[in-house]
Each structure stands twice: as structure tokens, then as C-alpha cells.
Amino acid sequence: MRWQAFLDHVRERGEYGTAQEAERAARTVVALLGAHLVGEVRAELAARLPETFALILLNPLQAAEPLSPERFLRATAAWIEGATERTAAWDVSAVLSVTADAAGEELTRRILLQLPPGYDLLFGCPEHT
């Protein structure tokens, strides 16, 4: 997926007023996601994302432990200026649902296997529970 298409989808799903807001959310969520994925799954997802987001995904901060979905939302809120847990849930859902579209169903299923239970809802894939 190309950079502009990815951001356009995030902006549309997140109902952001500007491309900058969509980009800020996307950078934060992809960086946090990258800290939770390893190996082939992370590499395959990176190959399906625009180059800038692929680099963010491949060079994340390392997570000491996998974050539950609730802690992932809190971490997102902490990284986005002015965000609350409620707005962070909106940001995460917008970015991860576009990421799932870019990844495709089979890779998204493998991504969800690497994450704690409950992320399926954040990706907009409740059928993968």
C-alpha cells in the first residue's frame, strides 16, 4: 500500500481533520505494534506497509512484556499529545484496521496469534477470537 493511500484510509476511518493528525496516530500506533511483533510476521507486515511505516515497525522500542489491549490504549494515549484513552481507542482502531487491510486476512490472523487476547477488536476483526 502506498503512503498516501494508507494515510487517506487512516484519515477517513479516524475522521481526522488533517493529514498530520492521521500521520501522528499512524506513527504512534505502528511503533507500539512493532514492539509486540517478532520474526517473519513483523517482516511480512513491514513489506505490505508504506516504507516510512515499515521502518517504524522494524525499528521499534522494545516492549518489556506484551501489553494487554487496555495497556496498549493507555500507552497510545501517553504518546499522543492531548489524547485520552477514549481518543486513543479511536486512533488505534483507525490505524490497526487499515493495517489489517494492508496485511490481508491470513497475515492478520498470524499477527493476532502473537498478541495478547483482545487485539482482534482493535484490528476490527472480531471473527478472529
Side-chain angles (χ1 to χ4, degrees):
M1 186 177 283
R2 295 188 182 278
W3 166 264
Q4 194 60 51
F6 187 88
L7 277 185
D8 286 348
H9 289 304
V10 170
R11 185 174 177 183
E12 180 182 308
R13 290 195 190 159
E15 298 179 8
Y16 297 105
T18 67
Q20 291 76 20
E21 290 176 279
E23 182 179 347
R24 180 183 64 187
R27 286 178 176 273
T28 301
V29 173
V30 168
L32 286 168
L33 178 63
H36 289 77
L37 300 178
V38 296
E40 190 177 305
V41 168
R42 186 165 70 186
E44 282 184 47
L45 179 57
R48 296 180 191 190
L49 295 176
E51 183 179 5
T52 300
F53 294 115
L55 293 173
I56 292 168
L57 185 80
L58 293 171
N59 296 297
L61 301 171
Q62 293 303 308
E65 62 181 290
L67 297 177
S68 68
E70 295 79 19
R71 289 183 59 210
F72 191 93
L73 294 177
R74 283 196 293 273
T76 301
W79 280 91
I80 297 178
E81 186 179 336
T84 64
E85 282 186 45
R86 188 173 179 192
T87 62
W90 191 265
D91 295 330
V92 168
S93 178
V95 175
L96 292 184
S97 67
V98 173
T99 300
D101 289 349
E105 190 173 324
E106 192 274 332
L107 179 55
T108 298
R109 182 187 55 75
R110 291 190 292 133
I111 289 168
L112 290 171
L113 288 174
Q114 286 194 7
L115 298 170
Y119 275 83
D120 55 328
L121 297 175
L122 297 179
F123 276 86
C125 304
E127 67 275 5
H128 291 287
T129 54

